[in-house]
Amino acid sequence: MFVVLAADPSVDRVIEVDRLERGGLHWASTGTVRPCGRGVHLARALAGNGFGARVVVPAGGPDGDNLVSLLRAEDIEVIRVRTEAAVRRNIGLVEPDATVTRVNEIGPRLSGNEVRVLCDALVKHVDDAHWVVLAGRTPRGMDPETLAEVVARLTGAGVKVAVDSSGSALVEAVKAGPALVKLNLEELESATSRQLTTFADVADAAQQLRSLGAGAVLAGFGAKGAVLVEDTGTWRAKATPVRPVSTIGAGDALLAGFLAAGAEGAEALGAAVCWAAAAVSLPGGVMPGPVDIEAREREVDASAEWDEKVRG
């Protein structure tokens, strides 16, 4: 069982258009409504590949009802913390070349009591967890130190914790000693206060986070693959190129694949990039299943060209 705290969930309408023109009239080729947000995609990817997934979400209003119904329809166990404010709604406009234009609502502000209930609900439901993932931006009303406090509570109870967040909340959580931190290039630069030019810089920055308390660091870079830095080594991996359709949820798919494959070493990193590549090849918000993932090939190398530029 994988347990996920999706701290800032949403209900997204994903609309595919032939071309996006500012001020123009657009006819959608397809339109779907899906449960979204960092952590929600992770649970959906795991459940879609036969792994038990339980998600803890703050969910208020009719859109909260919709979020819960959509998740349960995908065989995900939902622990709902009702909030006074409604779940946010987003719109994603996807063009044929995979360019996504997003209009995101600002997430609700949680009261102090709602934050406490949310954290307590998570801790209460982790007894059978292989991993607990703290995912998403911290909602308004949650102090940056709160994630760190949750990490400390869980690790003190012997639970393996992964953190996939951003900003000061991520930095504070790292100091609490999670087993794994997952982040992208911008988040890694922000967390280490460094501009990263090459993959060697990335590996050094990951070690910097490990010196602060993180057990392992998984960093994703889109089409350029991902880097894993842990006790047993440092690897870089990338999947065979795909025709991109949408990048929505690709980061969550990366982490889901890594956890599903054992969350350790080169093999797990190879699986992670395959899951992410499969997600990119699918319409916006669709998480890959076994057939999608098996179609992908990967390259994993501990001696890759670390002087290669991260961007461009």
Side-chain angles (χ1 to χ4, degrees):
M1 175 64 70
F2 295 91
V3 179
V4 182
L5 171 65
D8 190 28
S10 64
V11 175
D12 284 24
R13 179 173 291 277
V14 180
I15 301 171
E16 295 187 12
V17 296
D18 292 334
R19 184 183 61 181
L20 185 62
E21 180 182 348
R22 185 172 181 263
L25 173 64
H26 302 83
W27 293 97
S29 54
T30 63
T32 56
V33 176
R34 295 192 176 94
C36 290
R38 199 183 299 196
V40 169
H41 290 304
L42 172 67
R44 293 176 58 223
L46 289 166
N49 286 274
F51 295 91
R54 177 184 302 135
V55 62
V56 181
V57 288
D63 287 310
D65 298 339
N66 195 17
L67 174 71
V68 172
S69 296
L70 290 167
L71 288 170
R72 288 176 175 162
E74 297 189 32
D75 294 325
I76 296 169
E77 181 183 345
V78 181
I79 307 300
R80 178 182 187 178
V81 174
R82 292 183 179 273
T83 57
E84 183 176 351
V87 164
R88 64 191 176 100
R89 294 169 294 180
N90 302 327
I91 296 175
L93 302 175
V94 183
E95 297 177 74
D97 65 353
T99 299
V100 180
T101 301
R102 296 187 62 85
V103 181
N104 288 1
E105 290 187 348
I106 297 175
R109 179 178 295 278
L110 304 187
S111 69
N113 184 63
E114 288 170 342
V115 170
R116 286 189 293 273
V117 172
L118 181 67
C119 295
D120 289 344
L122 173 68
V123 174
K124 182 180 178 181
H125 291 90
V126 299
D127 288 347
D128 57 348
H130 293 93
W131 279 87
V132 174
V133 183
L134 310 182
R137 295 185 309 168
T138 53
R140 293 183 298 157
M142 179 182 285
D143 295 331
E145 296 80 11
T146 301
L147 278 191
E149 294 168 2
V150 174
V151 171
R153 290 174 68 181
L154 293 172
T155 56
V159 178
K160 290 186 291 186
V161 180
V163 176
D164 182 8
S165 189
S166 59
S168 57
L170 171 64
V171 175
E172 294 302 318
V174 166
K175 297 175 184 177
L180 172 67
V181 174
K182 179 264 175 186
L183 65 182
N184 60 30
L185 176 59
E186 290 74 21
E187 290 162 348
L188 183 57
E189 288 183 326
S190 176
T192 57
S193 299
R194 298 173 58 178
Q195 183 175 356
L196 307 177
T197 302
T198 68
F199 279 95
D201 296 335
V202 167
D204 288 343
Q207 290 289 11
Q208 182 178 335
L209 287 188
R210 296 187 70 232
S211 70
L212 293 177
V217 176
L218 172 65
F221 305 96
K224 287 183 174 286
V227 168
L228 172 65
V229 181
E230 59 180 25
D231 284 340
T232 57
T234 298
W235 296 274
R236 180 182 169 196
K238 57 184 176 180
T240 51
V242 300
R243 184 182 73 83
V245 176
S246 171
T247 58
I248 297 174
D252 274 46
L254 179 81
L255 179 55
F258 185 70
L259 295 175
E264 183 178 7
E267 286 300 315
L269 180 63
V273 296
C274 286
W275 284 51
V280 171
S281 71
L282 297 171
V286 176
M287 290 293 98
V291 174
D292 307 305
I293 295 164
E294 289 167 5
R296 307 268 70 86
E297 297 181 358
R298 84 290 301 266
E299 298 176 1
V300 183
D301 192 355
S303 59
E305 295 182 2
W306 295 96
D307 59 347
E308 181 182 346
K309 302 295 184 181
V310 179
R311 293 182 173 87

